[in-house]
Amino acid sequence: MSATARRHGDAVARYFEAWNAEDPAARAKAVAAAWTEDGGYTDPLADASGHEGIAAVIAAARKRFPGFEFRLTGVVDGHHDIARFSWEPVSTADGSAPVAGSDVIILDGQGRIRAVLGFLDRVPAGA
């Protein structure tokens, strides 16, 4: 695995750590480890910046999907300071995954996320 691929993979692993942190203090710590202080997160449902804003977006998603674990689907693909990957929240109770998406991340020189550009690929009817 190349150094760039490792860097992308490590950034995505930290991203999922933040998304899967249930405890607010653990989530804040994970967000700070994954994103730059002025980092951002934008998808069709949210537009946030800074650690507190990003943690709030994640908390809202976790509230909407209690008992779900956010997981990588497929492989991380990237070049330079940009990577893309797909994900889905999976129910720990029954394995269902009602939503799926793809994200593009832009990293800083230390491998922390400067920006996330998210897309929803599968959304349940009526959501």
Side-chain angles (χ1 to χ4, degrees):
M1 178 183 291
S2 73
T4 300
R6 256 190 316 280
R7 186 167 164 258
H8 292 151
D10 290 348
V12 171
R14 287 190 304 274
Y15 172 91
F16 282 110
E17 232 177 274
W19 277 90
N20 287 317
E22 292 185 30
D23 174 71
R27 184 178 310 119
K29 184 177 178 180
V31 167
W35 272 267
T36 61
E37 285 188 36
D38 62 346
Y41 179 89
T42 303
D43 72 14
L45 305 175
D47 187 13
S49 61
H51 292 167
E52 287 183 17
I54 294 164
V57 167
I58 294 171
R62 296 213 46 86
K63 185 175 181 180
R64 181 167 168 96
F65 293 99
F68 281 73
E69 180 179 274
F70 289 80
R71 298 182 187 169
L72 177 69
T73 60
V75 298
V76 177
D77 180 33
H79 58 82
H80 298 86
D81 291 333
I82 303 167
R84 66 180 176 170
F85 57 94
S86 295
W87 51 267
E88 60 187 8
V90 178
S91 170
T92 57
D94 65 13
S96 64
V99 176
S102 299
D103 289 350
V104 174
I105 59 174
I106 302 170
L107 305 177
D108 73 357
Q110 284 70 50
R112 291 173 68 206
I113 300 169
R114 288 186 2 218
V116 175
L117 307 171
F119 298 85
L120 298 174
D121 301 328
R122 181 178 67 239
V123 178

